[in-house]
Amino acid sequence: MAGIFAGNALGQAPTVGGLLNNYSYTLPGLPNYGIAQGSIFVIYGTNFSSTQIGLQAPPLQTKLNGVTIAVTVNGTTTNPLFYYLFPTQIAAVLPSATPVGRGTITVTTSAGTSTAFPIQVVASAFGLLTSNNGSGPAQGYDANIDPNNQYTLFGFSAAANPGDILLLWGSGLGPVTNDATGVAVSGTVTVYIGGIAVTPLYAGRSGFTGLDQINVAVPSGLSGCYVSVVVQTGNYVSNFATLPVTAKGSRTCVDADSPLTASVLDQLSQTGSLNMGLISVNQVTTPGITVAGVTVGGGTTDTGSASFSKITSAQISSGAFAAVLGGYSSIGSCFVDFFNTSSTSSTSLPLAFQFTSLNAGTDVNIVGPDGTIAMPLQTLAGIDSYTTPAGTAAFIPSSGGTFTFNNGSSGGPDIGAFTTPQIQVAAPVTWSSATSSISTVTRSNGLTVSWTGGAAGTHVDITGISLESVNGSTTNYLAGFFSCRAATVAGTFTVPPAVLLSLPPSTTISEGGVTISTSILLLSNFAAPVSFTAPKLDVGLVEAGVEDVLLVTYQ
């Protein structure tokens, strides 16, 4: 994180370039962004210090190595307390006495004072401690009195049981006297676990300055390795995390469509890493835009892709497996992510992990009803992948079809030759008439969607992307992304308000009297994944999905 902002020559005045909650890393401009009174936050910039000064013991001070911070809101100035001081990064606690509102922040060193940088102070905006810079598994502990599991960090082989007391850490519940102890006064705190609202047994300071603690009982009726966890205070929702949950009598979580079986986890614990391959085919149908009775664009596109990576045990624990699959939730749960479409954004965060890509040969071939399609090897920024070439004609029949995949007779230097078992792409599920007519979504109300069709044993993902223009730009957008998973046979799913309130309101484009949304809602139907084997490959997985897209506006 310290490398987000490049350092200048020592001896120059400091500069401030960004402010984020120490745990959520929520980007400025998102509806749940703000630096909460009494919270731990991080200042990114340059020339803060010539040396790195680590975590400070209590009582925290307002000056460290001659450096001070000043926050001014509505004519009142407060001085944050230092947790650590790095050349390009400072962690500090915003005093609870800082007024709510928009103001400025400066950093002063012996070389001078930085130019004032804007700060948005709110009563509460909780950041949840996770394993991967605001995403991935919650760093949740078992606070039960059972000596066999007390204060164990929950994980795939140490999953939570219904009734367990989950101990969560983070910052931003709200102001308290002296910033160190006591229950936050920001208002009602609700924890959503697998979409179920639970009132905490305790929510307030942990006894450490700015650090909050939440104790909450895990509700019944949940199961999976990626059950969602999110904290809401008022209309502010935290970052989303996951929690492994299983029935009493077991501590190993299970997701029916996950390749992380008990034997794979055992192997991972012994070897420390595994080689994983993911192959997929996908059909996406998008609507056209009708102007003056003429429909432009839209249609159906078929694509295929494949990637092969070495993943370490630490990356699996940090949620990297979910990232390999493009995001992942257990049945009944959701996850939320966000990004800035501008690659030059000063608050874009690096991944906490980077995979080692593996070469499976010159081509991975799709063999389907219309013959064979080669996906050639592509290397970009040192990462190997395989995708269908641009302009590839449709190859998935409208009624579905059967597919296999191979990488030739010799394979590649990292992954040997393989031919996968068959996977069936089913006829797509379809939106219900009520869902297909949705054009606007009120985020605070949640969203119920329904569908028909689909094969037993498959699942449905309900996904939304909302784009908000940054300062009227036509190229730089702040994007919020969510995905929820449901069993296809359920036929309906309600996306909770806590999910939608994480999204920025959508920017629309008006042209010729027609308003066009920049945001979408997708219904995806995926067959149960099929496993395949190959020399030097530990886990191989084939996915097939069909997606239907609606243009909507999130407001």
Side-chain angles (χ1 to χ4, degrees):
M1 298 301 299
I4 289 182
F5 298 95
N8 293 324
L10 295 178
Q12 295 183 355
T15 62
V16 176
L19 309 172
L20 297 176
N21 179 283
N22 188 61
Y23 299 109
S24 72
Y25 300 101
T26 299
L27 295 179
L30 288 169
N32 53 344
Y33 174 81
I35 307 302
Q37 296 169 308
S39 69
I40 306 172
F41 71 110
V42 180
I43 307 168
Y44 298 102
T46 62
N47 303 319
F48 293 149
S49 174
S50 59
T51 60
Q52 184 168 301
I53 302 175
L55 285 173
Q56 299 298 291
L60 303 182
Q61 304 298 313
T62 58
K63 178 181 286 189
L64 183 59
N65 200 33
V67 179
T68 59
I69 309 166
V71 174
T72 301
V73 179
N74 298 332
T76 297
T77 298
T78 59
N79 300 109
L81 305 166
F82 282 85
Y83 256 117
Y84 63 73
L85 173 64
F86 293 173
T88 59
Q89 185 173 323
I90 299 172
V93 177
L94 183 68
S96 291
T98 307
V100 169
R102 296 184 181 274
T104 59
I105 184 171
T106 58
V107 175
T108 299
T109 70
S110 60
T113 299
S114 67
T115 300
F117 189 86
I119 184 172
Q120 180 180 341
V121 178
V122 297
S124 64
F126 187 69
L128 182 60
L129 175 61
T130 68
S131 61
N132 178 36
N133 291 349
S135 63
Q139 293 294 278
Y141 291 81
D142 188 344
N144 288 323
I145 60 174
D146 178 1
N148 295 321
N149 210 54
Q150 189 176 23
Y151 297 118
T152 298
L153 176 64
F154 287 123
F156 292 141
S157 57
N161 290 161
D164 282 350
I165 306 303
L166 172 63
L167 170 58
L168 300 171
W169 301 99
S171 189
L173 286 181
V176 298
T177 302
N178 75 23
D179 297 311
T181 60
V183 178
V185 297
S186 58
T188 302
V189 177
T190 303
V191 181
Y192 290 89
I193 304 177
I196 300 173
V198 186
T199 300
L201 303 172
Y202 174 81
R205 290 293 187 269
S206 64
F208 294 93
T209 307
L211 181 63
D212 292 323
Q213 169 185 336
I214 297 176
N215 290 12
V216 61
V218 177
S220 59
L222 299 175
S223 178
C225 297
Y226 300 92
V227 174
S228 58
V229 179
V230 64
V231 179
Q232 182 170 352
T233 55
N235 282 335
Y236 280 81
V237 294
S238 72
N239 50 309
F240 273 68
T242 61
L243 176 72
V245 181
T246 191
K248 287 185 179 295
S250 172
R251 288 292 180 183
T252 301
C253 65
V254 176
D255 279 298
D257 55 358
S258 171
L260 289 185
T261 62
S263 61
V264 170
L265 290 173
D266 288 342
Q267 174 190 338
L268 185 63
S269 66
Q270 295 173 11
T271 63
S273 66
L274 58 80
N275 293 344
M276 179 175 176
L278 177 65
I279 306 172
S280 64
V281 289
N282 217 41
Q283 183 177 86
V284 181
T285 300
T286 57
I289 298 172
T290 301
V291 180
V294 178
T295 300
V296 179
T300 299
T301 303
D302 298 341
T303 59
S305 65
S307 63
F308 301 84
S309 306
K310 178 183 288 294
I311 305 175
T312 67
S313 177
Q315 289 170 336
I316 289 286
S317 298
S318 70
F321 170 68
V324 169
L325 297 181
Y328 195 90
S329 295
S330 295
I331 296 293
S333 285
C334 307
F335 76 90
V336 176
D337 203 355
F338 47 80
F339 58 92
N340 194 306
T341 60
S342 171
S343 60
T344 60
S345 170
S346 63
T347 49
S348 295
L349 300 175
L351 285 174
F353 46 77
Q354 185 171 359
F355 307 116
T356 300
S357 64
L358 303 173
N359 188 317
T362 57
D363 297 285
V364 172
N365 303 302
I366 303 171
V367 182
D370 293 339
T372 300
I373 301 171
M375 298 189 292
L377 172 66
Q378 303 178 56
T379 303
L380 180 64
I383 305 298
D384 293 340
S385 63
Y386 303 81
T387 58
T388 46
T392 298
F395 57 87
I396 301 176
S398 59
S399 59
T402 300
F403 291 83
T404 63
F405 306 83
N406 67 72
N407 62 341
S409 59
S410 58
D414 300 320
I415 303 295
F418 64 79
T419 297
T420 72
Q422 293 181 342
I423 190 168
Q424 177 69 38
V425 180
V429 300
T430 58
W431 299 104
S432 69
S433 58
T435 300
S436 62
S437 63
I438 293 173
S439 59
T440 60
V441 175
T442 302
R443 293 171 296 136
S444 60
N445 291 344
L447 172 65
T448 297
V449 299
S450 54
W451 57 88
T452 59
T458 65
H459 68 262
V460 163
D461 285 350
I462 301 96
T463 303
I465 302 175
S466 183
L467 300 176
E468 181 181 31
S469 173
V470 177
N471 298 323
S473 172
T474 58
T475 58
N476 185 9
Y477 287 85
L478 192 61
F481 171 91
F482 78 87
S483 187
C484 304
R485 180 157 294 184
T488 302
V489 295
T492 187
F493 186 87
T494 297
V495 182
V499 171
L500 300 178
L501 287 171
S502 300
L503 306 182
S506 304
T507 295
T508 58
I509 300 172
S510 296
E511 188 70 33
V514 177
T515 300
I516 302 170
S517 174
T518 59
S519 304
I520 58 175
L521 179 67
L522 300 89
L523 179 70
S524 309
N525 183 212
F526 290 92
V530 171
S531 296
F532 69 96
T533 59
K536 304 179 185 179
L537 188 68
D538 300 305
V539 177
L541 190 68
V542 178
E543 287 192 326
V546 180
E547 302 182 9
D548 199 3
V549 181
L550 296 177
L551 295 177
V552 301
T553 300
Y554 298 91
Q555 59 184 18

